[in-house]
C-alpha cells in the first residue's frame, strides 16, 4: 500500500538525448520504461508534463527548484575572502556550449572583472573567455555562498540541453541577497519583477549593457538584491515550503497522510 513516487530534475525527453546528438540515445531507456510504474511523477519543468503522460505516467506534477536557507544566505566576507571571491560579475555553474562562453567573453571585453566557478570547463573555453582567467574550481557549501556574495552581479545561464526556463540558481542567487542577472524567460518574469527583484537579458548586447548599468549603481543594485531576497521568502521558494506543497499534492492525489 506504499505509494512510489519519482522525482527527476533532468530532462529525459530532451531532443539532445532523443536524437542521439550526444551519443546518449540509450541513457534514459530504463527510466523511461519505468515511468508508468510510479504512482506519482514529479518533474522539474512544465514541458515534461505532457511528455511523461504520453509515456504512460499515472500522475505528473511540477516540483520547482528551491533554495536551502542554511546554505544559500547572505554572508559577510573577510578581507581574505574578498581577495579570493571579489569581482564585478561571477558565474557559478557548469560548462555548456550554448553561447555562454561568448557572453562571458563579451563581459571581459567590456572591462568586467569576471570569476567562474564550476565543473566541466575545458581549457579552450576558458581561453576564449579570457586567457588570463584562472581555471574554474568547484564552490560548494559556504564556498558557494561566498562566491556569490563576493560579486556585484551574479549571472544565471539556463541549460539548453535541459530546455530550462529557470534553474536552481534562479532562487539560490537572490536568497544570498545578491542581484541576479539572468537570461530572460516568461517563467522568470512571472516569479521576479524585472528591474525591481531581478535583472534579465535576452542577448549578448543586452547582457553587456545591463552589466555596465548595474555594476556602478551600488544603491539601486542593493535595493533590487534585497527585494529579490524578500521575494524568495514571500514566494515560498525555500525547500521547506516546496516540500509542504509536495506533501499536500500527495495527500490530495494519493490519499497519503503525511502526519
Amino acid at each position: 500500500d506504499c505509494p512510489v513516487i519519482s522525482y527527476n530534475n533532468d530532462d529525459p525527453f530532451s531532443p539532445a538525448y532523443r536524437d542521439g546528438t550526444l551519443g546518449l540515445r540509450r541513457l534514459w531507456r530504463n527510466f523511461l520504461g519505468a515511468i508508468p510504474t510510479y504512482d506519482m511523477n514529479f518533474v522539474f519543468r512544465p514541458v515534461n508534463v505532457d511528455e511523461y503522460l504520453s509515456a504512460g505516467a499515472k500522475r505528473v506534477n511540477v516540483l520547482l527548484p528551491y533554495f536551502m536557507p542554511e546554505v544559500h544566505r547572505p554572508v559577510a566576507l573577510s578581507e581574505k575572502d574578498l581577495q579570493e571571491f571579489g569581482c564585478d560579475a561571477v558565474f557559478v555553474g557548469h560548462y555548456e556550449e550554448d553561447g555562454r562562453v561568448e557572453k562571458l567573453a563579451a563581459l571581459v571585453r567590456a572591462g568586467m572583472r569576471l570569476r567562474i566557478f564550476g565543473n566541466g570547463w575545458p581549457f579552450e573555453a576558458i581561453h576564449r573567455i579570457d586567457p588570463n582567467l584562472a581555471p574554474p574550481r568547484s564552490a560548494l557549501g559556504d564556498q558557494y555562498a561566498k562566491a556569490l556574495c563576493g560579486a556585484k552581479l551574479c549571472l544565471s545561464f539556463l541549460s539548453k540541453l535541459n530546455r530550462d526556463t529557470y534553474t536552481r540558481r534562479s532562487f539560490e542567487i537572490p536568497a544570498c541577497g545578491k542581484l541576479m542577472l539572468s537570461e530572460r524567460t516568461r517563467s522568470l518574469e512571472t516569479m521576479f519583477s524585472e528591474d525591481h527583484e531581478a535583472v534579465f537579458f535576452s542577448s549578448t548586447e543586452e547582457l553587456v549593457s545591463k552589466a555596465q548599468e548595474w555594476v556602478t549603481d551600488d544603491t539601486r543594485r542593493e535595493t533590487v538584491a534585497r527585494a529579490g531576497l524578500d521575494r524568495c521568502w514571500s514566494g515560498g521558494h525555500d525547500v521547506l515550503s516546496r516540500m509542504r506543497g509536495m506533501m499536500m499534492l500527495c495527500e490530495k492525489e494519493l490519499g497519503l497522510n503525511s502526519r
Side-chain angles (χ1 to χ4, degrees), residues 73-78 80-92 113-115 117 142-154 176-179 215 221:
R73 70 209 190 281
V75 296
L77 302 187
S78 66
K80 181 180 179 182
D81 290 332
L82 288 173
Q83 291 178 5
E84 184 176 357
F85 298 107
C87 60
D88 293 326
V90 68
F91 176 65
V92 186
R113 283 194 310 134
L114 176 70
R115 291 189 190 273
F117 297 88
D142 282 347
Q143 295 286 300
Y144 180 47
K146 288 181 179 182
L148 295 178
C149 290
K152 294 182 178 180
L153 308 172
C154 296
C176 286
K178 301 302 296 185
L179 185 140
V215 76
R221 187 178 65 249

Side-chain angles (χ1 to χ4, degrees), residues 6 25 34 39 50 52 73 76-77 79 89 130 147 155 160-161 202 208 233 248 258:
S6 81
R25 187 186 298 271
D39 297 294
D50 286 341
Y52 270 66
R73 70 209 190 281
L77 302 187
E79 287 298 322
D130 181 359
L155 305 171
K160 310 309 180 292
L161 170 62
S202 297
V208 172
W233 283 104
M248 288 175 63
S258 63

Side-chain angles (χ1 to χ4, degrees), residues 1 47 57 75 82 87-88 105 126 128 131 140 146 154 239 249:
D1 295 329
V47 70
V75 296
L82 288 173
C87 60
D88 293 326
I126 294 300
R128 282 159 54 197
L140 306 174
K146 288 181 179 182
C154 296
V239 62
L249 277 171

Side-chain angles (χ1 to χ4, degrees), residues 15 59 89 114 118 209 219 245:
R59 300 173 184 84
L114 176 70
S209 175
T219 300

